[in-house]
Amino acid sequence: MEEKPCVFCAIASKSTKSYIVYEDDFIIGVLDINPASKGHTLLIPKKHYNSLYEMPQQEYMYLLSIARAVGYALMLSLSPSGVDILYTKELSKGNYNPHALLHIIPRFEEDKVAYVWEPVKFDDLTLSDTAASIRGVIESIKNEGANGGSLAENKKLQKQVEPKESAVKEEPTVDKSEVKEVSRKPVVF
């Protein structure tokens, strides 16, 4: 089966019509054709990355600095009450982008933008175990850079400190066959 060409790569190469608000050698910023609000901008790396986690650290930091600048330009040009910067890559509730990008969304009092979730309560033990699990993986990633550890070792360490099942509400499961393994080497702490 032939893989579909990436629509965001087509936008970046200008082979697809778009309304450009920012461009340099590495990034293009275009108005979203399905905007959440007036001025909703997609900030797209010109080089294809499946996710932000695959981007080299310097490129990721550059993307964030441009997102901040574009957000400021949106504040000055459109006078919104605020600006949200959103990353929605991973497979969740049918939302999947085949290319790393950031949404920069101006917020207005009358907009219909809503990030709605039903809060889930966790007990102290679950919160403590979850924090320990995340800290353990962060330390493993830090040590990987210093000691040359592998992603497999990181996952092994994560399993050792995974939180115990005590959540009040069970999270939805994701079909793992739909999720691609991502190299996490560029992630730096």
Side-chain angles (χ1 to χ4, degrees), residues 115-183:
Y115 308 114
V116 179
W117 59 85
E118 186 177 325
V120 179
K121 298 289 184 190
F122 294 100
D123 58 40
D124 285 339
L125 178 61
T126 301
L127 293 171
S128 176
D129 288 349
T130 301
S133 177
I134 295 166
R135 280 193 314 271
V137 172
I138 288 171
E139 288 304 314
S140 177
I141 292 169
K142 284 180 180 179
N143 292 334
E144 179 179 338
N147 303 327
S150 70
L151 183 58
E153 290 167 349
N154 292 344
K155 287 183 179 182
K156 184 178 178 183
L157 177 61
Q158 181 183 11
K159 290 266 186 232
Q160 292 172 358
V161 290
E162 277 186 347
K164 293 160 185 64
E165 297 291 324
S166 59
V168 174
K169 183 178 174 184
E170 193 172 305
E171 293 294 315
T173 58
V174 174
D175 180 2
K176 300 289 186 196
S177 66
E178 296 290 323
V179 179
K180 296 177 183 174
E181 183 64 28
V182 177
S183 167

Side-chain angles (χ1 to χ4, degrees), residues 30-81:
V30 300
L31 293 179
D32 193 319
I33 61 169
N34 296 303
S37 67
K38 181 179 180 181
H40 179 166
T41 299
L42 300 178
L43 205 54
I44 306 166
K46 287 184 175 180
K47 182 176 179 186
H48 183 87
Y49 295 104
N50 288 316
S51 76
L52 294 181
Y53 306 114
E54 291 181 358
M55 293 181 74
Q57 183 74 5
Q58 283 187 302
E59 290 179 41
Y60 173 71
M61 296 307 291
Y62 181 69
L63 178 69
L64 288 180
S65 71
I66 297 302
R68 179 177 175 240
V70 170
Y72 186 62
L74 291 170
M75 291 291 292
L76 295 176
S77 63
L78 300 176
S79 300
S81 56

